[in-house]
Amino acid sequence: MNALRRNILKSAGATGIVAMAAAAGLLKSGNVLAAWNSSAFAAKTVPEAIKDLGLSTPADSKAISIKAPDIAENGAVVPVEVTSSIAGTTGIAIFAEKNATPLITDFKLSNGAEGFISTRIKMGQTAMVRAVVTAGGKTYTAAKEVKVTIGGCGG
């Protein structure tokens, strides 16, 4: 038996099944995407975005640390790490306060996951990077200023 012929027939069969499922409406891209809070991500201010996320007014906390550069030479790629040592952390949201839409991301943590997020964000200008942590039904916040320079000439 020709192995190449067998592989081609298997691939054609699998492709046909996927095509039939898509044509029958069983595969919709909307079903596989996570829930999207469009109003929070479209909010123009941090308090508005926090409200749209359904969070209460956060209290300042020293149990949240934000690791980001003091001066970012490229605002298009600013590395940010948020660590929460608050027990029962279930969510971490990151905001860049002077961006046109300040909510950058909103992570939900479950099953005892550590309160740690590492990502890269885009910042339009020098601003406070704020992390809002949800734990035990309460919200906490911390912030750090990141200076964004254009072309790395200082800020």
Side-chain angles (χ1 to χ4, degrees):
M1 183 60 84
N2 185 347
L4 178 62
R5 181 175 177 238
R6 181 173 290 258
N7 287 336
I8 289 173
L9 289 174
K10 283 181 183 177
S11 298
T15 303
I17 290 171
V18 170
M20 287 177 31
L26 298 175
L27 298 177
K28 295 179 182 177
S29 61
N31 292 342
V32 297
L33 297 175
W36 178 258
N37 188 338
S38 60
S39 63
F41 281 96
K44 301 295 182 196
T45 64
V46 173
E48 184 181 331
I50 290 173
K51 179 182 170 194
D52 289 345
L53 286 173
L55 302 175
S56 60
T57 303
D60 289 335
S61 174
K62 294 185 188 254
I64 302 167
S65 74
I66 300 172
K67 183 178 174 186
D70 294 331
I71 299 173
E73 294 181 1
N74 182 0
V77 186
V78 179
V80 175
E81 289 182 8
V82 177
T83 304
S84 169
S85 59
I86 301 170
T89 297
T90 57
I92 297 175
I94 300 174
F95 300 87
E97 292 188 351
K98 290 189 180 175
N99 278 11
T101 54
L103 177 58
I104 302 295
T105 185
D106 180 29
F107 291 94
K108 301 296 181 201
L109 307 174
S110 62
N111 298 326
E114 287 187 32
F116 174 77
I117 299 296
S118 178
T119 187
R120 296 179 186 271
I121 68 172
K122 186 173 186 177
M123 297 180 65
Q125 58 185 305
T126 298
M128 298 295 283
V129 172
R130 179 168 301 279
V132 175
V133 171
T134 304
K138 297 180 180 178
T139 54
Y140 305 91
T141 188
K144 177 182 180 172
E145 183 179 41
V146 176
K147 292 182 180 179
V148 175
T149 60
I150 305 298
C153 296

